[in-house]
Amino acid sequence: MSISKKIQSKKNGLFASLVICVALRVLVFYVLNILEGSSNEYIEKIISIDSMMKKEDIQNLEMSKLNNNEYKNWEQNRINDLNNNLEQYFQTNKRYNKNIKQYLFKSDSMYYSFNSDIYNMKYIYDSYLLSKRYKDIYSFLVLRINPIFLSFLHFIIFNEKKNIMNTVRIKTSEKKINRQSNIIDIFPYHEFRYFMLICLTDIFIAIFLFLIIEHIKKKKDFFNYIYEQTSQNGWKLINPVLLINIYLNNPLTILANVFLSLDNFKLLIITMSFYLTILRISTNSNKIILYINFFCIIVLNSILIYITSFHFVLIIIGINNFIISIKENIITSHIKNQIEFQKLFFMLLKNVIIILFTCVFYGLLIIVSYYMNGKSISFLNNTLINEYKIFYLAPNLGNYWYIFSTMFKNYYYSFLFLFHFHIFLYPVPLFFRLSKTPLIYLKIMIAIALVFHPNIVVNDIIYVLALLAIDYEHMLYTIPFAKLLSIWVIHFSMFSVTLNMWLRKNTGNANFVLFNQLIVFNISAFIIVNSIQFYIRVQTPTIQREEGKCIVVSKASNNEFKLLNIFKKKNE
């Protein structure tokens, strides 16, 4: 098969994967909304009333058939009618309707398995309604989304334009309020827009992953150990179409989208930074493009910290190290060559300087947020400070929620420091051991940051496994990956079951949930640790590995040590 045909087949595979992705998600979202309806339908009706009144006001003003008194009477009567319908709807639906569909789909166990609760649609609805009246909404609402990103979400989800979709939505809302809706009008309009934003985020992640693998295959220097460690052909890299299907079209990612988990947005920022860093290889000769590329990476890294937490500084360290390694031409050196300690030390200093640049942009985002929030810093308590002190944390696949829910106050801050600080012990030692493979170092930093941050969701683990599967053969050769994956899936399913038993049925406690969570977490951590060991061994010379040294390798001595020679020399 010619190269052009291979490229065309990959493009066709990418397009087909994206079409299947969208079709599956829309179908599942539609089916679940038929089964359970919207959890925020009451708020949706309130927003719909406002849109309907604006539309009717415009029509009446254009017709000019009513005088002021008649118009005011009509407006008041119309509002009363709509409010009565809302009141009747609320009285009818205020009790929890106990049926099988809500046991299956509305339980907290399913929700907390796929969503960190940061981007809960209810909080976004509440913040939107409060923003109509107050600039500083963080004083009235526990919201863990920073102001700039929250404004972006409000614009995407609630922005009303005079278009066909808005007209259709208003007509659908009228039918729903008057209880005349049919099965075609089942979509909650704003939730569906939010859902499509989440789906588009995953689609862009898949596209960038596809481009990353294609670029890696062109530049074999990224994986020197693959092409020099084994046979002539070396280790194989995964097919990019297969990888994006593993990420996009697996049931867990689809359910995460349906449960409206926007936690994948940070994965998009990470993937974009990853791709822009790799692009620096191709544009190494053009300084203007390099400066633009560097500026974009700095901005993306600052946005990453802004929307997440300081744990993701590890990823920034990995990206910065990749940039510096490209500049120093380390990726083109032989996998077994030694790198001077002085050179590595200066690389660390450059990394710190780039981090300081990133912090400057991050500070600018905080200043803009301060002015957007009505010159109030109340948002810092719910966002930045909460990431340090962990005030609000729901059950998830991480260790934080259990430890800090049961921790005594006397030991709270000591454990808090330990849990936060330990991840910052890894970058420098791993930098020295993985200095000759900066791409691997970046992958490991991404994996550590995603697995050890407080608000971990299943999408984070899937993304980590997808990155580690780029050079998948090392997993198949070094660990029983199929067995571990099957155990992981079983205990992840049991995590949801035991969480439901604890929170809903009151037939268990948090220890049952913790047991399954620990197995899921430890298997993920074991795969990462095993990958680190593999990557270190393939780039460490045999003598150096035997001596246990990571930088300098001493020359082998020909003189054998004999105890009797000591006494002979003394006697002489």
Side-chain angles (χ1 to χ4, degrees), residues 238-464:
I238 194 169
N239 188 303
V241 177
L242 175 61
L243 181 69
I244 65 172
N245 275 282
I246 291 173
Y247 176 76
L248 281 180
N249 297 324
N250 72 82
L252 298 180
T253 307
I254 295 173
L255 285 175
N257 290 165
V258 172
F259 276 91
L260 303 180
S261 173
L262 193 60
D263 297 276
N264 59 352
F265 193 82
K266 64 178 180 290
L267 304 180
L268 175 60
I269 302 296
I270 294 169
T271 314
M272 290 173 65
S273 296
F274 196 164
Y275 178 66
L276 287 177
T277 308
I278 287 181
L279 279 183
R280 293 180 68 85
I281 297 290
S282 303
T283 58
N284 203 11
S285 58
N286 194 325
K287 291 186 177 181
I288 297 176
I289 296 178
L290 282 177
Y291 283 125
I292 296 173
N293 179 282
F294 180 73
F295 177 78
C296 293
I297 292 172
I298 293 293
V299 171
L300 285 174
N301 289 343
S302 60
I303 293 173
L304 177 63
I305 304 177
Y306 179 76
I307 66 172
T308 54
S309 67
F310 62 94
H311 297 81
F312 289 82
V313 172
L314 268 69
I315 298 175
I316 296 174
I317 292 172
I319 290 172
N320 295 345
N321 178 64
F322 202 170
I323 294 173
I324 298 167
S325 299
I326 294 170
K327 180 70 175 177
E328 300 291 338
N329 292 323
I330 288 178
I331 61 171
T332 58
S333 61
H334 194 277
I335 193 68
K336 299 295 185 181
N337 286 348
Q338 299 301 314
I339 302 175
E340 296 178 357
F341 175 77
Q342 183 180 3
K343 188 174 185 179
L344 295 177
F345 179 74
F346 281 113
M347 288 177 65
L348 283 176
L349 289 180
K350 291 178 183 178
N351 203 323
V352 172
I353 293 171
I354 299 176
I355 290 174
L356 292 177
F357 276 112
T358 306
C359 292
V360 170
F361 280 91
Y362 173 72
L364 292 176
L365 292 175
I366 295 295
I367 293 172
V368 173
S369 301
Y370 167 76
Y371 284 100
M372 289 183 65
N373 197 44
K375 295 184 178 180
S376 172
I377 59 172
S378 58
F379 67 94
L380 293 177
N381 290 326
N382 296 347
T383 55
L384 181 64
I385 297 176
N386 174 62
E387 294 300 329
Y388 286 94
K389 294 188 176 181
I390 310 182
F391 295 133
Y392 318 109
L393 190 62
N396 57 37
L397 294 174
N399 293 323
Y400 284 79
W401 67 271
Y402 181 85
I403 297 297
F404 294 104
S405 298
T406 58
M407 184 58 59
F408 295 108
K409 290 184 178 180
N410 295 336
Y411 306 103
Y412 187 88
Y413 288 102
S414 59
F415 273 81
L416 193 66
F417 175 78
L418 176 64
F419 269 62
H420 286 325
F421 180 73
H422 80 94
I423 64 171
F424 295 101
L425 297 176
Y426 308 138
V428 175
L430 288 176
F431 166 74
F432 286 112
R433 298 309 300 263
L434 299 172
S435 57
K436 286 166 280 186
T437 51
L439 179 64
I440 304 303
Y441 181 73
L442 174 56
K443 286 171 56 179
I444 296 299
M445 289 297 102
I446 292 174
I448 293 174
L450 287 176
V451 171
F452 287 97
H453 77 103
N455 302 299
I456 181 175
V457 292
V458 68
N459 244 14
D460 298 338
I461 299 177
I462 293 172
Y463 184 81
V464 168

